[in-house]
Amino acid sequence: MVSYKDLGLVNTREMFAKAIKGGYAVPAFNFNNMEQLQAIIKAAAEEKSPVILQVSKGARNYANATLLRYMAQGAVAYAKELGWENPQICLHLDHGDSFELCKSCIDNGFSSVMIDGSHLPYEENVALTKQVVDYAHQFDVTVEGELGVLAGVEDEVSSDHHTYTDPEEVIDFATRTGCDSLAISIGTSHGAYKFTPEQCTRDPKTGKLVPPPLAFEVLDAVMEKLPGFPIVLHGSSSVPQEYVDTINKYGGKLPDAIGIPEEELRKAAKSAVCKINIDSDSRLAMTAAVREVFATKPGEFDPRKYLGPARDEMERLYKHKIENVLGSNGKAE
């Protein structure tokens, strides 16, 4: 058993309480490799923002569970090296799909886990989430549950439709499971194709797709039922068009990729939404930077020469999200 506290990590309980009170959201950035982790920590340390290092089941398999533990411990040390005296860093399992996976992460130093039973019948979701909560809370590990289904594809998680969270279920679910936060569905979705062209309108001037608005009435109803309870938004990348354009310019094929407008995320961050998940945006930033190097310097074969620019671009992206979208800068001095 490895305690996250011995690694210098924190859980989300205090993070979320401060975020709700302060009217901002904590960034939850997914990572798979060293460059992404470096960029996340450098951005969070310089911005003095609490941060959640988010790892999916697929990312854990890719990076190796043992290496991840030491990467998280190293991230804390790196943050201190950068001058962040008291780093507020959480290591979180994103979309855990079984009790066994959540238990393995808890036993190996994760400070927070998500158990996603949203695809199950309601009572089975309640039972599975409670099982994880009962185990996690023994070790002061926080647990995120989910109600509602998000459309899109991200790692092992996929659905061709979304189902809005039913506000009438949230009190019963939170009470019976004891979960510490709740991911809800209000129209966000996974991946770089968050909406089909049929769901959008087109700007007559630019020809770009304009996505449908988020269902803030569902969020308002949930907040009314569970005042002050930490709410999470998944699938909240904005899919910056400059990255899409760069990727397409240098040989990529991402037609009609579209995300969540940042103004809608800013609005959500000022509410009880205290954790906003961002994955696809960093993937796009990394891919755009790498493609540009490959296209403009075809003789380059040193990984540092293309992964370095990718890391720098992701750092710029993370700082932008922290400062201009989530408002979490300066909240973890």
Side-chain angles (χ1 to χ4, degrees):
M1 179 75 193
V2 178
S3 170
Y4 70 87
K5 295 176 183 178
D6 293 336
L7 304 180
L9 301 167
V10 301
N11 66 23
T12 61
R13 193 169 292 115
E14 187 176 346
M15 270 187 186
F16 290 171
K18 288 182 177 178
I20 292 173
K21 186 176 180 180
Y24 62 90
V26 177
F29 297 130
N30 287 66
F31 81 100
N32 305 271
N33 60 23
M34 183 185 74
E35 286 78 16
Q36 286 177 306
L37 181 60
Q38 287 175 312
I40 292 168
I41 296 304
K42 195 167 181 208
E46 291 187 6
E47 295 291 337
K48 296 297 186 293
S49 168
V51 70
I52 296 170
L53 302 175
Q54 208 154 251
V55 180
S56 67
K57 177 182 177 181
R60 190 169 184 249
N61 291 338
Y62 177 82
N64 177 268
T66 302
L67 281 175
L68 267 178
R69 182 172 80 238
Y70 289 104
M71 288 174 78
Q73 187 174 24
V76 175
Y78 180 40
K80 291 180 178 179
E81 186 180 296
L82 290 170
W84 195 7
E85 291 184 12
N86 297 297
Q88 298 295 297
I89 301 172
C90 168
L91 181 63
H92 175 76
L93 171 66
D94 188 24
H95 286 290
D97 60 1
S98 69
F99 171 77
E100 291 74 22
L101 175 59
C102 291
K103 180 180 183 299
S104 177
C105 289
I106 293 165
D107 292 348
N108 282 279
F110 278 62
S111 55
S112 179
V113 295
M114 179 200 184
I115 179 65
D116 183 0
S118 61
H119 59 288
L120 299 171
Y122 180 75
E123 288 298 329
E124 291 181 30
N125 187 3
V126 169
L128 177 60
T129 304
K130 185 178 188 306
Q131 183 185 18
V132 172
V133 168
D134 288 346
Y135 185 77
H137 281 183
Q138 296 178 73
F139 308 103
D140 200 27
V141 171
T142 42
V143 179
E144 175 185 328
E146 180 165 356
L147 274 178
V149 177
L150 270 69
V153 178
E154 183 178 22
D155 285 2
E156 299 84 6
V157 181
S158 65
S159 177
D160 60 2
H161 70 284
H162 68 250
T163 303
Y164 288 149
T165 300
D166 182 353
E168 297 301 321
E169 292 178 342
V170 295
I171 297 177
D172 180 72
F173 186 86
T175 301
R176 290 172 60 192
T177 64
C179 64
D180 301 284
S181 60
L182 184 63
I184 66 170
S185 173
I186 62 170
T188 57
S189 60
H190 294 126
Y193 294 92
K194 299 189 181 299
F195 306 99
T196 65
E198 291 74 25
Q199 293 175 297
C200 305
T201 56
R202 282 196 185 270
D203 186 319
K205 294 181 180 178
T206 65
K208 299 285 188 182
L209 293 177
V210 179
L214 297 180
F216 279 98
E217 69 277 9
V218 175
L219 174 59
D220 291 341
V222 169
M223 291 192 299
E224 184 179 335
K225 297 289 185 181
L226 288 176
F229 194 82
I231 302 300
V232 176
L233 286 189
H234 284 240
S236 297
S237 284
S238 299
V239 188
Q241 286 303 299
E242 61 266 31
Y243 294 148
V244 174
D245 292 343
T246 298
I247 291 169
N248 291 337
K249 177 181 177 181
Y250 294 117
K253 292 184 179 179
L254 290 175
D256 291 333
I258 189 169
I260 308 300
E262 289 188 341
E263 57 268 25
E264 298 218 304
L265 297 176
R266 289 188 198 99
K267 179 179 177 181
K270 290 181 171 65
S271 68
V273 173
C274 56
K275 172 177 179 272
I276 291 181
N277 293 10
I278 296 169
D279 185 4
S280 294
D281 283 354
S282 63
R283 296 184 186 194
L284 291 166
M286 187 173 209
T287 301
V290 170
R291 277 192 175 275
E292 183 168 3
V293 173
F294 283 168
T296 59
K297 301 177 182 178
E300 190 56 73
F301 65 94
D302 182 345
R304 294 170 296 181
K305 297 297 177 63
Y306 52 85
L307 292 178
R311 180 182 60 191
D312 294 343
E313 191 56 53
M314 287 188 291
E315 183 189 338
R316 282 192 286 273
L317 169 73
Y318 296 139
K319 286 181 176 178
H320 166 71
K321 296 292 185 182
I322 288 169
E323 287 183 25
N324 302 314
V325 181
L326 308 180
S328 60
N329 50 309
K331 303 301 192 296
E333 297 288 351

